[in-house]
Amino acid sequence: MNPNVKKLADSVGKVIVGKDDTVIRLIAAMLCEGHVLLEDVPGVGKTQLITALSRSIGGKFNRIQLTPDVMPSDIAGFTMVDANSGEFVYRDGAVMCNFLLADEINRASPKVQSALLEAMEERQISLDGVTHKLPRPFLVMATQNPVETYGTYHLPEAQMDRFFMKLSMGYPDGDEEVKILERTEMHNPILNITEPAMTVDDVIAMQEEVRRVRVTDEVKKYIVSIVSSTRNDRNAVLGISPRGSIALYKAAKAFAYIYEREYATPDDVKKVAVNVLSHRIILSPQGKTAFSSTEEYVESVLRGCEVPSMSAKS
């Protein structure tokens, strides 16, 4: 494993017990400058995971607890008249940071959810005719509870498509839960991270290195065959868009980088496909009968696509 990635994962591991795979996937999304939707039942450590990652990197971290009364200006900021100069000045919103934790995003109103769209896609805020660039790196990490629907708003497909990955943590096993009890006995485990494992400049440098990972034509065609299979399938009402194929391409490069390879393989594509693609698909009534979830559908698509050989690596 890449030593910088391992250092970052070890730092997060001081807080999170037994979820190494989820941590690696979250880091992979960050290396691709992608946003993450963390969907799981309450109490499994979603917020702790995101807070631990941001605390492990010396950047600015903002958290906003999304409720129906949150306003778009809370997200994007606002302009106001300065009492001394009489000029309009911009006051930062929650997105003016490196890491934004949008807790319980499905409790925010559609207006607030749409306020995140430009920031997530363009890395900027346009307010009163002025464009404000967001700092690098910029990562939105949103959480939502899939089992509770009272007082929530469905995330529109346009916003779901802007999340690079959807992750879940699941319940810990017995041994892991014992360790969790021991870690929380005296203090909040987040205090175990006493100093950042790296700086934002280190993260930006890693992001640039991921871009230099090579991908052969065979692997590119494999990615295209996967996404194309979802577009003319009676099991899917909405297939994967080009944004989804780009995300899969980037994620495969990130996994190759994490495991210290200069080139991406079909296995890298397969490892990340479910997390990158499943939340972008809407199953048809026929698809809902055939598959219990979009994750199961993506796994079926992968089984149906021919895996290319890796005879050439350059």
Side-chain angles (χ1 to χ4, degrees), residues 85-97:
S85 66
E87 298 179 350
F88 284 97
V89 294
Y90 170 69
R91 300 301 184 194
D92 291 352
V95 296
M96 199 58 66
C97 63

Side-chain angles (χ1 to χ4, degrees), residues 71-78 90-96 115 125-127:
M71 301 295 291
S73 58
D74 297 323
I75 299 291
F78 57 92
Y90 170 69
R91 300 301 184 194
D92 291 352
V95 296
M96 199 58 66
I125 290 296
S126 297
L127 197 64

Side-chain angles (χ1 to χ4, degrees), residues 126-311:
S126 297
L127 197 64
D128 297 330
V130 180
T131 299
H132 305 274
K133 293 287 185 182
L134 300 181
R136 287 189 66 197
F138 173 67
L139 175 63
V140 174
M141 297 171 285
T143 70
Q144 70 175 12
N145 174 3
V147 297
E148 188 175 41
T149 58
Y150 182 76
T152 63
Y153 299 87
H154 173 71
L155 287 179
E157 282 68 34
Q159 185 160 341
M160 288 293 286
D161 200 33
R162 281 168 170 78
F163 282 106
F164 187 82
M165 281 188 187
K166 186 177 80 168
L167 302 175
S168 62
M169 299 182 70
Y171 291 114
D173 63 29
D175 292 339
E176 291 169 353
E177 196 150 6
V178 168
K179 291 180 181 179
I180 291 172
L181 296 178
E182 292 170 350
R183 285 193 181 184
T184 57
E185 185 174 7
M186 302 303 296
H187 59 261
N188 188 330
I190 200 70
L191 299 178
N192 292 338
I193 304 176
T194 56
E195 59 183 24
M198 60 180 57
T199 67
V200 292
D201 289 337
D202 294 329
V203 173
I204 292 172
M206 293 166 67
Q207 290 172 342
E208 295 298 328
E209 291 171 359
V210 168
R211 291 189 178 95
R212 292 195 287 269
V213 172
R214 301 194 308 273
V215 183
T216 64
D217 289 342
E218 289 81 3
V219 174
K220 292 175 185 177
K221 290 176 181 177
Y222 180 51
I223 291 171
V224 171
S225 71
I226 293 170
V227 299
S228 297
S229 297
T230 69
R231 296 173 184 169
N232 299 300
D233 187 348
R234 289 184 299 174
N235 290 312
V237 174
L238 180 67
I240 302 300
S241 70
R243 182 187 284 120
S245 60
I246 292 170
L248 185 55
Y249 176 74
K250 290 180 177 179
K253 294 174 71 170
F255 256 63
Y257 173 79
I258 287 171
Y259 292 104
E260 296 191 285
R261 276 182 280 104
E262 296 179 351
Y263 56 91
T265 69
D267 281 344
D268 294 321
V269 176
K270 291 165 68 175
K271 283 178 183 176
V272 297
V274 172
N275 298 116
V276 172
L277 302 181
S278 62
H279 62 288
R280 306 172 192 269
I281 291 171
I282 298 179
L283 295 177
S284 65
Q286 177 178 320
K288 291 177 181 178
T289 302
F291 304 100
S292 61
S293 65
T294 54
E295 288 82 2
E296 184 181 331
Y297 170 72
V298 173
E299 290 171 352
S300 174
V301 169
L302 291 173
R303 289 193 296 270
C305 292
E306 183 179 355
V307 180
S309 61
M310 288 294 294
S311 57

Side-chain angles (χ1 to χ4, degrees), residues 19-136:
K19 300 300 177 185
D20 297 345
D21 185 64
T22 303
V23 171
I24 291 299
R25 291 172 191 274
L26 180 60
I27 293 173
M30 180 189 68
L31 295 180
C32 297
E33 300 187 74
H35 310 294
V36 175
L37 178 63
L38 200 56
E39 182 180 271
D40 217 323
V41 296
V44 294
K46 300 185 298 295
T47 302
Q48 284 284 77
L49 170 61
I50 294 169
T51 306
L53 177 65
S54 62
R55 194 177 178 99
S56 298
I57 302 169
K60 184 178 180 181
F61 170 65
N62 282 344
R63 173 181 176 176
I64 183 165
Q65 187 70 40
L66 293 169
T67 56
D69 59 345
V70 171
M71 301 295 291
S73 58
D74 297 323
I75 299 291
F78 57 92
T79 54
M80 62 177 294
V81 177
D82 185 270
N84 296 322
S85 66
E87 298 179 350
F88 284 97
V89 294
Y90 170 69
R91 300 301 184 194
D92 291 352
V95 296
M96 199 58 66
C97 63
N98 297 113
F99 302 97
L100 173 64
L101 169 55
D103 220 354
E104 297 191 88
I105 189 172
N106 56 338
R107 291 194 175 278
S109 69
K111 281 187 177 181
V112 171
Q113 291 177 10
S114 64
L116 282 171
L117 288 180
E118 182 185 14
M120 291 173 67
E121 184 69 16
E122 305 296 334
R123 265 71 175 181
Q124 65 182 31
I125 290 296
S126 297
L127 197 64
D128 297 330
V130 180
T131 299
H132 305 274
K133 293 287 185 182
L134 300 181
R136 287 189 66 197

